[in-house]
Amino acid sequence: SMGYAGIPTAMVSECCSDHVGDIVVKFLAEHSVDVKSIDRFTDGSTEISMIFENDSITKQVNYGEYPRDRFDVIWPRIDENDIVIFGSFYSIDESLRDRLLEMITYASERKAILIYMPGFQHGLKCRITKVMPAILENLELADFVIANNKDIEDIFPGEGVEKAFHNHLEFYCGNFLHIDENFNAQIFAKNVREVINNPQGKSVNALGWQAGFAAGLMYGLLRNQVTHDLLEDIDQETWEAIVSWAFKFANEAEISEDNTISAEFGEKCAKAYSESLDD
């Protein structure tokens, strides 16, 4: 979605030099994403996560095999006010974390805007005590946290969003955007406490919606010229403008087979962004 919107974007990850890996990397490259920082390993196979849903339960099953030595990537260039999103198991897994932490620490030193999205897989809750030190370190490094109800329940079981923010998140990171069960956005920031309702209502495609929301949030930060130094002083009007872009991208991506915004919508965003830079 960011590539479609004309934003220079790089993916830092890994996949095997197999057919599945080729499909993934080709898809990213065709959508204007820089893939030079994707490690293509040869020992193992690309992992695929399948999500099975019915009325009462959601189950995730992983297929594939990783090699012993992993995540040998070349870091992309990171400059001040660039945006770096990190999270999921890459930010807590012992075999990956040290390497990732090098990049996140470097990005922090460069005054990039770090967005932490925990995005836990199903079933992690039973191991939360083991990974909690890594989570807290991630929160401390982050300038911004995006999480949904399930993420908060996994990390801070039984506390609820308000309590989790005041008891934990606020101490480490002052900017928190929570997505509730109806896909509304709740803002916790230094100068703002607000719930912004999703104009389209609850999505039936959570994967596409959340991917679009993250992309739209980044686009909104860039369109509103939010720098690292200005993060702590975003006013309510600017927050509303940023989140409105997140909703626009999310509601575009959720109806797409590829879980991305459309090329037509992206072209309009790219033109508007280019004009804003000229201004």
Side-chain angles (χ1 to χ4, degrees):
S1 291
M2 294 299 289
Y4 264 155
I7 308 299
T9 306
M11 180 71 170
V12 182
S13 192
E14 62 182 354
C15 62
C16 184
S17 296
D18 57 9
H19 188 56
V20 173
D22 290 343
I23 292 172
V24 173
V25 173
K26 181 182 178 183
F27 177 84
L28 291 168
E30 287 177 346
H31 290 75
S32 301
V33 176
D34 187 337
V35 296
K36 292 194 293 291
S37 294
I38 297 179
D39 176 27
R40 301 297 304 275
F41 56 81
T42 56
D43 181 17
S45 59
T46 300
E47 183 168 294
I48 303 174
S49 295
M50 307 292 288
I51 300 174
F52 301 90
E53 295 183 332
N54 59 35
D55 293 338
S56 59
I57 192 170
T58 299
K59 185 177 182 181
Q60 181 168 320
V61 182
N62 298 321
Y63 302 90
E65 180 182 357
Y66 282 119
R68 178 171 296 182
D69 296 322
R70 299 181 54 190
F71 208 43
D72 185 21
V73 300
I74 300 171
W75 302 135
R77 174 171 175 159
I78 301 174
D79 292 319
E80 184 174 347
N81 300 321
D82 285 350
I83 301 174
V84 179
I85 284 190
F86 71 105
S88 190
F89 70 94
Y90 276 81
S91 64
I92 55 177
D93 186 274
E94 290 182 1
S95 63
L96 301 169
R97 178 165 174 75
D98 286 348
R99 189 86 174 96
L100 178 67
L101 195 59
E102 290 178 15
M103 188 186 88
I104 299 305
T105 302
Y106 171 72
S108 178
E109 292 170 351
R110 297 282 289 173
K111 295 183 70 175
I113 297 173
L114 301 185
I115 300 178
Y116 178 42
M117 299 180 67
F120 296 125
Q121 292 186 355
H122 301 293
L124 183 68
K125 187 187 297 186
C126 62
R127 306 192 301 273
I128 199 68
T129 303
K130 182 178 179 181
V131 299
M132 184 59 79
I135 292 172
L136 296 179
E137 189 172 24
N138 292 340
L139 292 172
E140 189 171 18
L141 283 166
D143 300 299
F144 203 123
V145 176
I146 306 174
N148 58 30
N149 277 1
K150 183 184 178 302
D151 298 329
I152 296 300
E153 178 60 26
D154 282 347
I155 302 172
F156 308 111
E159 294 198 17
V161 177
E162 294 269 357
K163 196 172 180 180
F165 177 75
H166 292 300
N167 289 350
H168 309 284
L169 294 171
E170 189 173 22
F171 177 76
Y172 294 100
C173 180
N175 296 304
F176 172 46
L177 204 156
H178 170 250
I179 307 300
D180 70 17
E181 65 275 9
N182 294 313
F183 291 67
N184 301 313
Q186 188 173 8
I187 301 169
F188 296 85
K190 180 180 178 181
N191 301 314
V192 179
R193 294 286 190 280
E194 183 180 7
V195 176
I196 303 178
N197 293 323
N198 177 11
Q200 299 296 322
K202 187 173 183 178
S203 172
V204 296
N205 175 13
L207 184 64
W209 192 94
Q210 291 183 85
F213 188 91
L217 186 85
M218 289 191 286
Y219 183 84
L221 288 168
L222 293 168
R223 274 294 300 271
N224 286 275
Q225 300 180 5
V226 176
T227 65
H228 184 275
D229 291 338
L230 294 177
L231 268 176
E232 295 298 318
D233 297 308
I234 303 176
D235 58 26
Q236 182 170 333
E237 183 180 357
T238 303
W239 271 117
E240 290 174 354
I242 293 168
V243 173
S244 72
W245 280 112
F247 280 142
K248 289 175 185 176
F249 273 61
N251 293 319
E252 275 275 327
E254 75 154 324
I255 60 175
S256 163
E257 292 182 356
D258 293 332
N259 295 320
T260 67
I261 62 172
S262 67
E264 294 77 16
F265 180 74
E267 186 176 348
K268 293 178 182 177
C269 293
K271 182 180 179 181
Y273 179 66
S274 177
E275 290 174 351
S276 72
L277 292 179
D278 291 339
D279 293 340

